Amino acid sequence: MGRNRRRRQGRSDNASKDDRDDRRPYVLAPKENKLFEEYYQGQGIVPVEEWNDFMDTLRQPLPSTIRITGFRSHAKEMLRILKQEYAAAMSVEVDGRVIQPAKCLSWYPGELAWQLDLARKMIRQDQTLKKLHRFLVQETESGNISRQETVSMIPPLVLDVQPDSKVLDMCAAPGSKTAQLIEFLHADDENGTSGDGFVVANDNDNKRCYLMVHQLSRLLSSNFAVTNMDAANLPKLLLQNENGENQAVKFDRILCDVPCSGDGTLRKNVDAWAKWNPAIGHGLHNLQVRILRRGVEMLAVGGRIVYSTCSFNPVENEAVVAAILRRNKDTMELVDISDRLPGLVRDPGRRVWKVMSKQKEWFEKYEDIPERLRTQITPTSFPPTAEEADHFKLERCIRILPHKQDTGGFFVAVLERKKSPKDVEQNMSSSNDKTAKNDNMTETPSASVSNNDDEVVEEITSGATSAVKRKSDEDDDVCEPMFKKVRHYGYKEDPFIFLKQDDEMWTPVRDFFGIRPDFPFSQLMVRCETGKKRNIYFVSSVVKDLVRQNENKFKFINLGVKILSRSVSKSVECEFRLVQDGLHILYPYITKRIVQVVKEDVVTLLSSENPYITRMSAQAADQLNGIDQGGCVFVYQPEPDLDGPSCRLLICGWKGKVSCRSFIPKSDRGHFLRLCGVELTDKAERTPRSKVPANGSNPDLESEKVAFNEDDTDKPSAEFEDGFDPEDVEMRGAKSGENSELCEEGSEESSEPVLEPVDTPQIEKS
């Protein structure tokens, strides 16, 4: 190390000042690719008269789009604030250009999606948009809005998720579409505890899984699980049926948003201009077929699977869909969604296309390909025959072109399972018996028709990493991949341990907060086997069963909502306090330590550090004086005749000897204050107490020494969107999940808790 350091120092010393001054700023690559233009002009995807508009739009920055979280009770309030303060009132000039007000996407239900005529970089850097940027960051971190590309919102909408749906997202990271699926799962439930429905969010990339944990944990749902598996070789999941027997899960809804060349993202991914070539699509085609094929195998009869890419290329789109329809003859069909999402401008799928090699050679059929290219281009990359095209109805697919509505590019196909493969096999076997009798009367059987189909199936399965075998179980009606022993990479996950009825931790918590006996205690979970449990999580009953039946063959990364955290204080008999994330789940069962507050109390709690109880309203002060020290719940109930938020607010708090405080992240603090008509400033520092005892001492300092966790204060700031690089948040994602070896879950708590400093806001009237 010393020699290397001296060498680097020597090079630095020898470098002339002129060489250092000759450094030039980074220049973006030109947004040009002649091969890209030649390829798509040859495909005819864009009409000739629209080609210039198409290319001009691709060279423009992508507008920012936000989506309000629809299932929360605060959604209406957020929509009101957005309309009043950022839609109608926002008309500023940036770089000499007048920015138009935010506009609602007419095709998204409930006015919950809005598009801003601003690129993300412009929002971050321009000082005139400082208030808008602060609003977007705070509300994104609190989970009340999501910053998501417009076309990325389409697949979950057409998937038609219901509250009781069993949903699988096969390639889920970074998680914006998965967040939509979870929202639809809780469409009729504001507590995040929907019944039998659940979402399994899977991704093959371990690092991106932790990014997804951070994205999805903001929704505070107990009905999802994040897994880290290869989508093309997913093992079957087991669940217990009504008779207590294990049965393979057949999903009602599956989202298959596969890896692709990404040429539909050129507006935000500038580096893709120089890298694009048609060989990328050929290299991904087999993988895309394998992933979609496995998804179809796991689909229930009557279920839907949505296949989507952010690519224009027919080889990655229609060709993949046609290959699956050909393989699943008479059991799968494309769904016509032309009447869905009125207002969305889309183009129909194509029945005919051509294939180009990297050397710019065009081919219209597989037989024309030279031998040197047959390992690169497969038969399924070519269009179907005219007879197949009439049967497949590929025009039911939709393609989104950027110049139509100022968006990115996208492709979506919705497939539905009409019959079980077992039923089709039974019909074929009975017909084959009749055919065999006729064939016995002739000397040579005619096998020309069946051979073609066998060749196609064999070609589709070529390149797969695992063999395929037919299961003999009566309840299994699909081809199940033959798996080798799975090797898991990345962080070693802590176990998922569910509490037992006689667990000694639960009794003091139950008595302290007066939790009703009907609370589903068996759904509580911890992440460590030995030592003191630091956090307690809550999961839905179906997710609990899913984990217990499959944890030996599936790598589960994260699940559950944190509802209790260890917070030791000498003057408090209960070692656990409530956590804001899970308060909406536990509150319906709490009968003690509830403090009713008014709007002024909410502002006092969230804008002051440890305010004295005397600063609270008379009603709240009386309730606080009537309870012992420790955790409590501040509840604001809307009143029609009074000015204030029109939705209920639940705030996790703490009562000391003479003061109180809130346990709430800064982003949530800003959200609640905004609902009360108060805006956080950038410094976001709480105002100190208005007065201190004359002797300068703090009489309740000892009583309020509480062990704070990181997430009691500020959560890390990040802006998430499809295509976000997870490399720089690998460690942060692992930490937010609190389930890796790097986390200190289960470590011994200090006998003398330490009060850590908390960032607190200055306020200004909005």
Side-chain angles (χ1 to χ4, degrees), residues 659-683:
S659 67
C660 57
R661 65 154 297 161
S662 62
F663 276 100
I664 187 169
K666 185 178 74 174
S667 56
D668 288 342
R669 212 162 62 225
H671 169 68
F672 287 149
L673 285 173
R674 186 172 288 110
L675 295 182
C676 295
V678 177
E679 187 74 20
L680 280 174
T681 60
D682 280 345
K683 292 184 179 179

PDB file of all heavy atoms in Angstrom, residues 659-683:
ATOM      1  N   SER A 659     -44.023  17.091  29.908  1.00  0.00           N
ATOM      2  CA  SER A 659     -44.008  17.405  28.484  1.00  0.00           C
ATOM      3  C   SER A 659     -44.445  16.187  27.686  1.00  0.00           C
ATOM      4  O   SER A 659     -44.635  15.097  28.223  1.00  0.00           O
ATOM      5  CB  SER A 659     -42.608  17.852  28.045  1.00  0.00           C
ATOM      6  OG  SER A 659     -41.706  16.774  28.130  1.00  0.00           O
ATOM      7  N   CYS A 660     -44.579  16.398  26.390  1.00  0.00           N
ATOM      8  CA  CYS A 660     -44.946  15.316  25.469  1.00  0.00           C
ATOM      9  C   CYS A 660     -44.203  15.535  24.166  1.00  0.00           C
ATOM     10  O   CYS A 660     -43.586  16.579  23.959  1.00  0.00           O
ATOM     11  CB  CYS A 660     -46.465  15.282  25.239  1.00  0.00           C
ATOM     12  SG  CYS A 660     -47.145  16.831  24.595  1.00  0.00           S
ATOM     13  N   ARG A 661     -44.286  14.558  23.283  1.00  0.00           N
ATOM     14  CA  ARG A 661     -43.623  14.700  21.994  1.00  0.00           C
ATOM     15  C   ARG A 661     -44.212  13.695  21.010  1.00  0.00           C
ATOM     16  O   ARG A 661     -44.963  12.790  21.393  1.00  0.00           O
ATOM     17  CB  ARG A 661     -42.120  14.482  22.107  1.00  0.00           C
ATOM     18  CG  ARG A 661     -41.711  13.085  22.513  1.00  0.00           C
ATOM     19  CD  ARG A 661     -40.322  12.776  21.991  1.00  0.00           C
ATOM     20  NE  ARG A 661     -40.297  12.796  20.535  1.00  0.00           N
ATOM     21  CZ  ARG A 661     -39.190  12.920  19.810  1.00  0.00           C
ATOM     22  NH1 ARG A 661     -38.035  13.070  20.410  1.00  0.00           N
ATOM     23  NH2 ARG A 661     -39.244  12.906  18.492  1.00  0.00           N
ATOM     24  N   SER A 662     -43.847  13.863  19.750  1.00  0.00           N
ATOM     25  CA  SER A 662     -44.287  12.931  18.709  1.00  0.00           C
ATOM     26  C   SER A 662     -43.110  12.079  18.266  1.00  0.00           C
ATOM     27  O   SER A 662     -41.973  12.550  18.209  1.00  0.00           O
ATOM     28  CB  SER A 662     -44.864  13.688  17.508  1.00  0.00           C
ATOM     29  OG  SER A 662     -43.869  14.515  16.920  1.00  0.00           O
ATOM     30  N   PHE A 663     -43.380  10.811  17.970  1.00  0.00           N
ATOM     31  CA  PHE A 663     -42.404   9.907  17.362  1.00  0.00           C
ATOM     32  C   PHE A 663     -42.818   9.728  15.902  1.00  0.00           C
ATOM     33  O   PHE A 663     -43.599   8.840  15.576  1.00  0.00           O
ATOM     34  CB  PHE A 663     -42.408   8.551  18.062  1.00  0.00           C
ATOM     35  CG  PHE A 663     -41.564   8.501  19.297  1.00  0.00           C
ATOM     36  CD1 PHE A 663     -42.143   8.609  20.544  1.00  0.00           C
ATOM     37  CD2 PHE A 663     -40.198   8.345  19.211  1.00  0.00           C
ATOM     38  CE1 PHE A 663     -41.369   8.554  21.690  1.00  0.00           C
ATOM     39  CE2 PHE A 663     -39.412   8.287  20.343  1.00  0.00           C
ATOM     40  CZ  PHE A 663     -39.999   8.392  21.593  1.00  0.00           C
ATOM     41  N   ILE A 664     -42.287  10.558  15.034  1.00  0.00           N
ATOM     42  CA  ILE A 664     -42.757  10.539  13.654  1.00  0.00           C
ATOM     43  C   ILE A 664     -41.622  10.999  12.746  1.00  0.00           C
ATOM     44  O   ILE A 664     -40.884  11.931  13.090  1.00  0.00           O
ATOM     45  CB  ILE A 664     -44.008  11.446  13.507  1.00  0.00           C
ATOM     46  CG1 ILE A 664     -44.620  11.316  12.120  1.00  0.00           C
ATOM     47  CG2 ILE A 664     -43.708  12.879  13.835  1.00  0.00           C
ATOM     48  CD1 ILE A 664     -45.984  11.984  12.017  1.00  0.00           C
ATOM     49  N   PRO A 665     -41.394  10.352  11.612  1.00  0.00           N
ATOM     50  CA  PRO A 665     -40.327  10.777  10.699  1.00  0.00           C
ATOM     51  C   PRO A 665     -40.569  12.186  10.174  1.00  0.00           C
ATOM     52  O   PRO A 665     -41.704  12.671  10.129  1.00  0.00           O
ATOM     53  CB  PRO A 665     -40.396   9.744   9.560  1.00  0.00           C
ATOM     54  CG  PRO A 665     -41.105   8.574  10.139  1.00  0.00           C
ATOM     55  CD  PRO A 665     -42.061   9.117  11.150  1.00  0.00           C
ATOM     56  N   LYS A 666     -39.495  12.821   9.730  1.00  0.00           N
ATOM     57  CA  LYS A 666     -39.607  14.203   9.260  1.00  0.00           C
ATOM     58  C   LYS A 666     -40.542  14.313   8.062  1.00  0.00           C
ATOM     59  O   LYS A 666     -41.301  15.282   7.941  1.00  0.00           O
ATOM     60  CB  LYS A 666     -38.226  14.744   8.887  1.00  0.00           C
ATOM     61  CG  LYS A 666     -38.248  16.218   8.503  1.00  0.00           C
ATOM     62  CD  LYS A 666     -36.868  16.729   8.182  1.00  0.00           C
ATOM     63  CE  LYS A 666     -36.378  16.226   6.850  1.00  0.00           C
ATOM     64  NZ  LYS A 666     -35.084  16.825   6.466  1.00  0.00           N
ATOM     65  N   SER A 667     -40.491  13.330   7.159  1.00  0.00           N
ATOM     66  CA  SER A 667     -41.357  13.407   5.975  1.00  0.00           C
ATOM     67  C   SER A 667     -42.827  13.356   6.372  1.00  0.00           C
ATOM     68  O   SER A 667     -43.656  14.105   5.832  1.00  0.00           O
ATOM     69  CB  SER A 667     -41.024  12.259   5.018  1.00  0.00           C
ATOM     70  OG  SER A 667     -41.147  11.002   5.667  1.00  0.00           O
ATOM     71  N   ASP A 668     -43.188  12.476   7.312  1.00  0.00           N
ATOM     72  CA  ASP A 668     -44.569  12.413   7.782  1.00  0.00           C
ATOM     73  C   ASP A 668     -44.945  13.676   8.547  1.00  0.00           C
ATOM     74  O   ASP A 668     -46.091  14.131   8.491  1.00  0.00           O
ATOM     75  CB  ASP A 668     -44.764  11.193   8.681  1.00  0.00           C
ATOM     76  CG  ASP A 668     -44.760   9.888   7.892  1.00  0.00           C
ATOM     77  OD1 ASP A 668     -44.957   9.954   6.676  1.00  0.00           O
ATOM     78  OD2 ASP A 668     -44.543   8.830   8.502  1.00  0.00           O
ATOM     79  N   ARG A 669     -43.979  14.223   9.253  1.00  0.00           N
ATOM     80  CA  ARG A 669     -44.233  15.460   9.975  1.00  0.00           C
ATOM     81  C   ARG A 669     -44.607  16.573   8.995  1.00  0.00           C
ATOM     82  O   ARG A 669     -45.547  17.331   9.207  1.00  0.00           O
ATOM     83  CB  ARG A 669     -42.960  15.834  10.744  1.00  0.00           C
ATOM     84  CG  ARG A 669     -43.207  16.543  12.053  1.00  0.00           C
ATOM     85  CD  ARG A 669     -41.983  16.476  12.932  1.00  0.00           C
ATOM     86  NE  ARG A 669     -40.818  17.121  12.358  1.00  0.00           N
ATOM     87  CZ  ARG A 669     -39.611  16.601  12.349  1.00  0.00           C
ATOM     88  NH1 ARG A 669     -39.419  15.398  12.839  1.00  0.00           N
ATOM     89  NH2 ARG A 669     -38.592  17.264  11.844  1.00  0.00           N
ATOM     90  N   GLY A 670     -43.832  16.668   7.909  1.00  0.00           N
ATOM     91  CA  GLY A 670     -44.146  17.670   6.897  1.00  0.00           C
ATOM     92  C   GLY A 670     -45.495  17.436   6.253  1.00  0.00           C
ATOM     93  O   GLY A 670     -46.227  18.379   5.949  1.00  0.00           O
ATOM     94  N   HIS A 671     -45.856  16.161   6.062  1.00  0.00           N
ATOM     95  CA  HIS A 671     -47.146  15.834   5.460  1.00  0.00           C
ATOM     96  C   HIS A 671     -48.300  16.262   6.361  1.00  0.00           C
ATOM     97  O   HIS A 671     -49.252  16.915   5.901  1.00  0.00           O
ATOM     98  CB  HIS A 671     -47.216  14.335   5.191  1.00  0.00           C
ATOM     99  CG  HIS A 671     -48.571  13.836   4.817  1.00  0.00           C
ATOM    100  ND1 HIS A 671     -49.191  14.166   3.633  1.00  0.00           N
ATOM    101  CD2 HIS A 671     -49.452  13.043   5.493  1.00  0.00           C
ATOM    102  CE1 HIS A 671     -50.387  13.595   3.584  1.00  0.00           C
ATOM    103  NE2 HIS A 671     -50.561  12.908   4.698  1.00  0.00           N
ATOM    104  N   PHE A 672     -48.235  15.917   7.637  1.00  0.00           N
ATOM    105  CA  PHE A 672     -49.314  16.282   8.561  1.00  0.00           C
ATOM    106  C   PHE A 672     -49.432  17.799   8.716  1.00  0.00           C
ATOM    107  O   PHE A 672     -50.535  18.347   8.773  1.00  0.00           O
ATOM    108  CB  PHE A 672     -49.080  15.632   9.927  1.00  0.00           C
ATOM    109  CG  PHE A 672     -49.331  14.151   9.948  1.00  0.00           C
ATOM    110  CD1 PHE A 672     -48.613  13.315  10.791  1.00  0.00           C
ATOM    111  CD2 PHE A 672     -50.272  13.574   9.122  1.00  0.00           C
ATOM    112  CE1 PHE A 672     -48.837  11.944  10.813  1.00  0.00           C
ATOM    113  CE2 PHE A 672     -50.506  12.209   9.128  1.00  0.00           C
ATOM    114  CZ  PHE A 672     -49.785  11.397   9.977  1.00  0.00           C
ATOM    115  N   LEU A 673     -48.289  18.479   8.791  1.00  0.00           N
ATOM    116  CA  LEU A 673     -48.334  19.942   8.901  1.00  0.00           C
ATOM    117  C   LEU A 673     -48.929  20.562   7.641  1.00  0.00           C
ATOM    118  O   LEU A 673     -49.669  21.546   7.710  1.00  0.00           O
ATOM    119  CB  LEU A 673     -46.934  20.492   9.152  1.00  0.00           C
ATOM    120  CG  LEU A 673     -46.375  20.292  10.563  1.00  0.00           C
ATOM    121  CD1 LEU A 673     -44.925  20.724  10.633  1.00  0.00           C
ATOM    122  CD2 LEU A 673     -47.205  21.071  11.583  1.00  0.00           C
ATOM    123  N   ARG A 674     -48.614  19.982   6.502  1.00  0.00           N
ATOM    124  CA  ARG A 674     -49.171  20.509   5.253  1.00  0.00           C
ATOM    125  C   ARG A 674     -50.692  20.347   5.231  1.00  0.00           C
ATOM    126  O   ARG A 674     -51.413  21.224   4.741  1.00  0.00           O
ATOM    127  CB  ARG A 674     -48.533  19.785   4.068  1.00  0.00           C
ATOM    128  CG  ARG A 674     -48.939  20.355   2.717  1.00  0.00           C
ATOM    129  CD  ARG A 674     -48.130  19.714   1.596  1.00  0.00           C
ATOM    130  NE  ARG A 674     -46.756  20.182   1.602  1.00  0.00           N
ATOM    131  CZ  ARG A 674     -45.711  19.436   1.933  1.00  0.00           C
ATOM    132  NH1 ARG A 674     -45.892  18.168   2.296  1.00  0.00           N
ATOM    133  NH2 ARG A 674     -44.498  19.934   1.905  1.00  0.00           N
ATOM    134  N   LEU A 675     -51.195  19.255   5.767  1.00  0.00           N
ATOM    135  CA  LEU A 675     -52.644  19.067   5.848  1.00  0.00           C
ATOM    136  C   LEU A 675     -53.278  20.097   6.765  1.00  0.00           C
ATOM    137  O   LEU A 675     -54.451  20.449   6.596  1.00  0.00           O
ATOM    138  CB  LEU A 675     -52.963  17.656   6.358  1.00  0.00           C
ATOM    139  CG  LEU A 675     -52.549  16.475   5.465  1.00  0.00           C
ATOM    140  CD1 LEU A 675     -52.972  15.161   6.100  1.00  0.00           C
ATOM    141  CD2 LEU A 675     -53.140  16.600   4.072  1.00  0.00           C
ATOM    142  N   CYS A 676     -52.497  20.582   7.729  1.00  0.00           N
ATOM    143  CA  CYS A 676     -53.004  21.596   8.664  1.00  0.00           C
ATOM    144  C   CYS A 676     -52.765  23.013   8.165  1.00  0.00           C
ATOM    145  O   CYS A 676     -53.005  23.980   8.904  1.00  0.00           O
ATOM    146  CB  CYS A 676     -52.349  21.425  10.033  1.00  0.00           C
ATOM    147  SG  CYS A 676     -52.770  19.874  10.865  1.00  0.00           S
ATOM    148  N   GLY A 677     -52.270  23.164   6.935  1.00  0.00           N
ATOM    149  CA  GLY A 677     -52.040  24.491   6.377  1.00  0.00           C
ATOM    150  C   GLY A 677     -50.712  25.086   6.745  1.00  0.00           C
ATOM    151  O   GLY A 677     -50.528  26.303   6.649  1.00  0.00           O
ATOM    152  N   VAL A 678     -49.760  24.289   7.174  1.00  0.00           N
ATOM    153  CA  VAL A 678     -48.441  24.769   7.582  1.00  0.00           C
ATOM    154  C   VAL A 678     -47.400  24.095   6.701  1.00  0.00           C
ATOM    155  O   VAL A 678     -47.493  22.903   6.420  1.00  0.00           O
ATOM    156  CB  VAL A 678     -48.173  24.448   9.076  1.00  0.00           C
ATOM    157  CG1 VAL A 678     -46.781  24.889   9.481  1.00  0.00           C
ATOM    158  CG2 VAL A 678     -49.226  25.113   9.940  1.00  0.00           C
ATOM    159  N   GLU A 679     -46.400  24.874   6.268  1.00  0.00           N
ATOM    160  CA  GLU A 679     -45.393  24.365   5.347  1.00  0.00           C
ATOM    161  C   GLU A 679     -44.043  24.276   6.038  1.00  0.00           C
ATOM    162  O   GLU A 679     -43.636  25.201   6.750  1.00  0.00           O
ATOM    163  CB  GLU A 679     -45.286  25.282   4.118  1.00  0.00           C
ATOM    164  CG  GLU A 679     -44.386  24.751   3.029  1.00  0.00           C
ATOM    165  CD  GLU A 679     -45.031  23.615   2.264  1.00  0.00           C
ATOM    166  OE1 GLU A 679     -46.269  23.487   2.318  1.00  0.00           O
ATOM    167  OE2 GLU A 679     -44.301  22.847   1.617  1.00  0.00           O
ATOM    168  N   LEU A 680     -43.325  23.164   5.839  1.00  0.00           N
ATOM    169  CA  LEU A 680     -41.971  23.018   6.366  1.00  0.00           C
ATOM    170  C   LEU A 680     -40.995  23.820   5.517  1.00  0.00           C
ATOM    171  O   LEU A 680     -41.115  23.883   4.298  1.00  0.00           O
ATOM    172  CB  LEU A 680     -41.551  21.550   6.336  1.00  0.00           C
ATOM    173  CG  LEU A 680     -42.057  20.632   7.445  1.00  0.00           C
ATOM    174  CD1 LEU A 680     -41.639  19.214   7.143  1.00  0.00           C
ATOM    175  CD2 LEU A 680     -41.529  21.054   8.791  1.00  0.00           C
ATOM    176  N   THR A 681     -39.986  24.421   6.166  1.00  0.00           N
ATOM    177  CA  THR A 681     -38.910  25.073   5.437  1.00  0.00           C
ATOM    178  C   THR A 681     -37.795  24.077   5.205  1.00  0.00           C
ATOM    179  O   THR A 681     -37.816  22.961   5.686  1.00  0.00           O
ATOM    180  CB  THR A 681     -38.375  26.279   6.229  1.00  0.00           C
ATOM    181  OG1 THR A 681     -37.891  25.812   7.485  1.00  0.00           O
ATOM    182  CG2 THR A 681     -39.476  27.300   6.460  1.00  0.00           C
ATOM    183  N   ASP A 682     -36.759  24.507   4.464  1.00  0.00           N
ATOM    184  CA  ASP A 682     -35.678  23.589   4.113  1.00  0.00           C
ATOM    185  C   ASP A 682     -34.916  23.095   5.332  1.00  0.00           C
ATOM    186  O   ASP A 682     -34.554  21.940   5.430  1.00  0.00           O
ATOM    187  CB  ASP A 682     -34.698  24.280   3.167  1.00  0.00           C
ATOM    188  CG  ASP A 682     -35.220  24.287   1.750  1.00  0.00           C
ATOM    189  OD1 ASP A 682     -36.165  23.529   1.488  1.00  0.00           O
ATOM    190  OD2 ASP A 682     -34.693  25.045   0.931  1.00  0.00           O
ATOM    191  N   LYS A 683     -34.625  23.987   6.278  1.00  0.00           N
ATOM    192  CA  LYS A 683     -33.832  23.583   7.436  1.00  0.00           C
ATOM    193  C   LYS A 683     -34.582  22.584   8.291  1.00  0.00           C
ATOM    194  O   LYS A 683     -33.993  21.740   8.940  1.00  0.00           O
ATOM    195  CB  LYS A 683     -33.454  24.805   8.270  1.00  0.00           C
ATOM    196  CG  LYS A 683     -32.472  25.716   7.546  1.00  0.00           C
ATOM    197  CD  LYS A 683     -32.044  26.868   8.443  1.00  0.00           C
ATOM    198  CE  LYS A 683     -31.039  27.744   7.719  1.00  0.00           C
ATOM    199  NZ  LYS A 683     -30.617  28.882   8.557  1.00  0.00           N
TER     200      LYS A 683
END
